[in-house]
Amino acid sequence: MCIALIAPVSGYLSEKTNPATMTATGLFVTMSGLFYLASLNEQAAIWQVIGSQVVIGIGNGLFQAPNNHSVLSAAPPGKVGLVGGINSLVRNVGMVSGVAVAVAVFENRSQQALGQVAAAGGQFAGFLAGYHTAIAVAACLAGIGAAVSFKRRSYLQKSA
């Protein structure tokens, strides 16, 4: 829902400003929402979970349209369709790779936690440990992406 509301606005703004600034901002907001989500425990209120999801959705909305704009505007007019297809391919490979990394991190960390906890609630503790670690890794990757986008922003300003 948040992506649907924010993406058109961020797409419009990316045409008026440097799109790399918008992508860096979106990734930073996403990172913040992910870190907040990773900090929640089993006593978290539903509004805290919803709030973190809203922040993540806003971040994704701020990121997606400006990122597509910067990729497609860099293509020569006769190659926009080809570049759009490659952009879609890279996005899908990124999503599949992200799921694979998240599952690997989750399983590794939850198995470690299960080995350390012998109590009756050990499975739930193992699940939470794996979940929090996977979300924190995703937040770190979003932070790296934000830093790269921010660096690209300064490069685009120099070349413009």
Side-chain angles (χ1 to χ4, degrees):
M1 176 82 163
C2 290
I3 295 172
L5 295 174
I6 299 296
V9 175
S10 69
Y12 173 78
L13 291 174
S14 73
E15 294 175 355
K16 305 295 181 200
T17 64
N18 186 332
T21 301
M22 298 291 295
T23 60
T25 302
L27 287 168
F28 178 77
V29 171
T30 299
M31 177 191 72
S32 301
L34 287 167
F35 273 130
Y36 181 67
L37 184 61
S39 74
L40 299 178
N41 61 24
E42 63 272 10
Q43 282 86 33
I46 190 71
W47 65 265
Q48 291 175 298
V49 176
I50 292 170
S52 65
Q53 295 296 312
V54 166
V55 172
I56 293 166
I58 290 169
N60 280 326
L62 287 172
F63 170 78
Q64 288 179 3
N67 187 58
N68 290 338
H69 174 263
S70 65
V71 169
L72 294 176
S73 66
K79 301 288 183 181
V80 171
L82 174 67
V83 171
I86 292 171
N87 189 30
S88 180
L89 171 69
V90 170
R91 180 176 37 251
N92 286 319
V93 168
M95 286 189 289
V96 169
S97 300
V99 168
V101 168
V103 168
V105 168
F106 173 83
E107 282 298 320
N108 183 290
R109 181 64 185 113
S110 62
Q111 292 303 316
Q112 285 177 350
L114 284 174
Q116 297 167 352
V117 179
Q123 287 185 332
F124 186 68
F127 170 83
L128 277 182
Y131 179 77
H132 287 149
T133 304
I135 297 295
V137 167
C140 291
L141 292 173
I144 291 168
V148 169
S149 282
F150 191 75
K151 180 67 176 168
R152 187 181 75 134
R153 178 193 64 85
S154 60
Y155 170 76
L156 289 175
Q157 286 176 342
K158 290 176 189 172
S159 64

